[in-house]
Amino acid sequence: MQIKRNILLNPGPSTTTDSVKMAQLVPDICPREKEFAGMMKGIREDLVKIVHGDLNEYTSVLFCGSGTINIDVCLNSLLPANKKILIVNNGAYSTRAVEVCEYYNLPHIDLKFPIDELPDLKKVEQVLTQDNDIAVVYTTHNETGTGILNPIKDIGALAHKYNAIFVVDTTSSYAMRPINVYEDNIDFCMASAQKGIMAMTGLSFVIGKRSVIEKSKEYPKRSYYCNLYLQYEFFEKTGEMHFTPPVQTIYAARQALNEYFAEGEKAKWERHTRVFEAIHAGLAELGFKNVIKREWQTGLVVSAVYPDDKNWDFEKVHDYCYSRGFTIYPGKISTTNTFRLCALGAIDENDIKNFFVVFKEALLNTGVTVPVIYNK
Ligand SMILES: *Cc1c(COP(=O)(O)O)cnc(C)c1O
């Protein structure tokens, strides 16, 4: 079977290999069978190994849903009674965590920083010294909206200094930029199958400390379907997901993990870096400006500013590229008009070179001056 290969430069889902796509075509099976539970056990362990956790200390819990389910699960499940969450917020995804807190009425502090700057650690520490009720410190590793890399190791160290647990949204860095739960001071992190591991949508996972999950049994229950302890306990007792898992998606994730370990952490990160550099080179040649200082970028998302050209029309450029197999994506910044090109997925340098041929054509075809112009 020939499957058309699209190059997705959006921030997930990502381009997948044909072998991962094909892994979904399996004989029908009831997910309550031992064979299926055995496969999930291996997946849960491999997900912990990717961030170098000791399997006695760290575990992973699978959920059926997109990545946001992890944010919901961690926040609603890991907050003890009468305690607070501190959200170190410099972007759209940490803002999503704030919204989850608002929906559940969870006591929280929204510590805001500009979206194009790193959080000020002195301010983070100041809040921690002033408020003894903070039990959870939360942030986002790679703020996908802009591509800025947050200093999780330092934020985690501060959380631990003040006896809080550290939860980090690693959805857009996990299995791409190397993460080590010990070196990065992580108690909980999270990701989704369609991003770093380059599998399908519909499966997400929280990776974290067993001891904390077990303690959370006594915490207030704020959700039924999205409770971390409930899902963990069911997995531990039966090896199964509490409710129906996304069966075929899990077969694809199994294959994707095999491919992850075959490629290797280092080689994979080098490949994403090559792609990222090629994106920068292509944009620079066309004169595009970056939103985030280069040295602060995670190395996976490039946010570019719209040129000041009356003919620039993102939709038209998008459609031109899309019909030729390349997907580009708008930015997530309310104050500046930006678009994003991302380095995740089963793609390499050459795909980016081919993309820029098409992208340049799209600009010229829609009457945009190249190199692009800015008023200031
Ligand atoms: C993609 C992503 C998510 C999950 O978003 P969904 O739309 O629910 O898949 C969460 N956090 C970050 C940082 C992400 O990049």
Side-chain angles (χ1 to χ4, degrees):
M1 197 198 295
Q2 267 296 321
I3 310 171
K4 183 178 169 232
R5 182 164 178 268
N6 285 330
I7 303 302
L8 302 188
L9 301 175
N10 48 297
S14 61
T15 297
T16 58
T17 60
D18 284 353
S19 38
V20 166
K21 291 182 190 79
M22 296 306 287
Q24 295 174 105
L25 293 181
V26 287
D28 294 322
I29 183 172
C30 170
R32 302 291 175 208
E33 291 300 330
K34 282 195 276 307
E35 182 187 336
F36 194 77
M39 180 174 61
M40 279 201 290
K41 182 168 186 288
I43 288 177
R44 287 181 63 206
E45 292 176 355
D46 283 347
L47 292 171
V48 176
K49 286 179 195 158
I50 287 179
V51 287
H52 306 281
D54 177 330
L55 291 171
N56 294 312
E57 223 184 323
Y58 283 83
T59 186
S60 75
V61 185
L62 309 181
F63 289 90
C64 180
S66 81
T68 304
I69 200 170
N70 295 325
I71 305 177
D72 187 324
V73 164
C74 285
L75 292 169
N76 88 62
S77 307
L78 293 172
L79 183 65
N82 307 315
K83 295 288 183 184
K84 261 182 222 169
I85 299 167
L86 169 62
I87 295 167
V88 179
N89 179 1
N90 61 344
Y93 285 93
S94 287
T95 299
R96 192 173 294 179
V98 170
E99 284 167 12
V100 170
C101 291
E102 287 167 356
Y103 269 64
Y104 284 109
N105 266 315
L106 303 176
H108 66 283
I109 298 169
D110 177 10
L111 185 60
K112 275 198 183 128
F113 296 100
I115 53 129
D116 53 354
E117 280 176 35
L118 295 175
D120 179 347
L121 297 173
K122 286 202 197 77
K123 285 195 183 144
V124 175
E125 180 152 24
Q126 202 178 15
V127 173
L128 284 162
T129 46
Q130 284 165 357
D131 197 326
N132 295 325
D133 289 339
I134 296 166
V136 177
V137 175
Y138 180 103
T139 199
T140 305
H141 190 203
N142 172 28
E143 254 300 349
T144 324
T146 56
I148 199 168
L149 179 72
N150 281 320
I152 53 170
K153 181 181 182 156
D154 300 330
I155 299 173
L158 281 174
H160 293 160
K161 183 173 168 191
Y162 294 91
N163 299 314
I165 62 160
F166 182 46
V167 180
V168 51
D169 176 353
T170 52
T171 313
S172 59
S173 52
Y174 177 93
M176 292 179 276
R177 194 181 169 101
I179 294 172
N180 181 308
V181 284
Y182 301 103
E183 288 167 17
D184 291 318
N185 296 313
I186 295 172
D187 297 303
F188 287 87
C189 61
M190 59 187 81
S192 215
Q194 80 274 16
K195 294 202 177 172
I197 69 166
M198 313 189 307
M200 298 298 156
T201 57
L203 177 70
S204 292
F205 26 91
V206 172
I207 298 150
K209 280 206 177 126
R210 283 179 190 277
S211 59
V212 179
I213 300 176
E214 273 157 21
K215 248 205 281 186
S216 76
K217 183 184 181 179
E218 310 301 331
Y219 296 174
K221 305 280 181 295
R222 303 167 178 105
S223 170
Y224 177 69
Y225 200 79
C226 294
N227 181 269
L228 182 57
Y229 180 78
L230 207 67
Q231 184 83 323
Y232 165 79
E233 190 202 24
F234 209 82
F235 263 120
E236 291 296 302
K237 276 198 184 139
T238 66
E240 296 170 15
M241 226 183 240
H242 201 168
F243 304 109
T244 310
V247 175
Q248 287 72 16
T249 296
I250 289 176
Y251 278 101
R254 178 63 273 165
Q255 175 63 23
L257 287 167
N258 295 347
E259 293 178 17
Y260 173 87
F261 290 108
E263 184 174 14
E265 180 183 60
K266 185 163 173 281
K268 187 168 187 290
W269 174 232
E270 284 167 1
R271 179 170 59 76
H272 290 307
T273 304
R274 278 198 299 278
V275 170
F276 178 75
E277 297 294 342
I279 292 172
H280 269 297
L283 285 173
E285 203 180 306
L286 296 170
F288 280 94
K289 277 189 193 166
N290 278 241
V291 178
I292 302 293
K293 261 194 227 170
R294 182 71 183 263
E295 65 266 31
W296 288 350
Q297 296 175 15
T298 307
L300 291 162
V301 175
V302 183
S303 280
V305 183
Y306 282 5
D308 295 315
D309 186 316
K310 65 174 180 7
N311 288 334
W312 168 263
D313 181 333
F314 178 81
E315 278 307 310
K316 279 190 192 158
V317 174
H318 167 275
D319 293 353
Y320 187 97
C321 296
Y322 180 77
S323 65
R324 287 157 182 82
F326 298 94
T327 300
I328 63 173
Y329 206 68
K332 219 177 197 159
I333 303 173
S334 51
T335 52
T336 319
N337 282 322
T338 61
F339 67 97
R340 284 178 283 175
L341 300 176
C342 306
L344 72 174
I347 59 176
D348 211 332
E349 234 170 347
N350 259 331
D351 297 311
I352 302 302
K353 290 201 179 115
N354 296 337
F355 161 71
F356 274 105
V357 172
V358 171
F359 186 64
K360 187 173 179 181
E361 258 171 43
L363 298 179
L364 295 173
N365 256 280
T366 53
V368 175
T369 305
V370 173
V372 294
I373 42 172
Y374 292 100
N375 293 336
K376 53 171 190 279

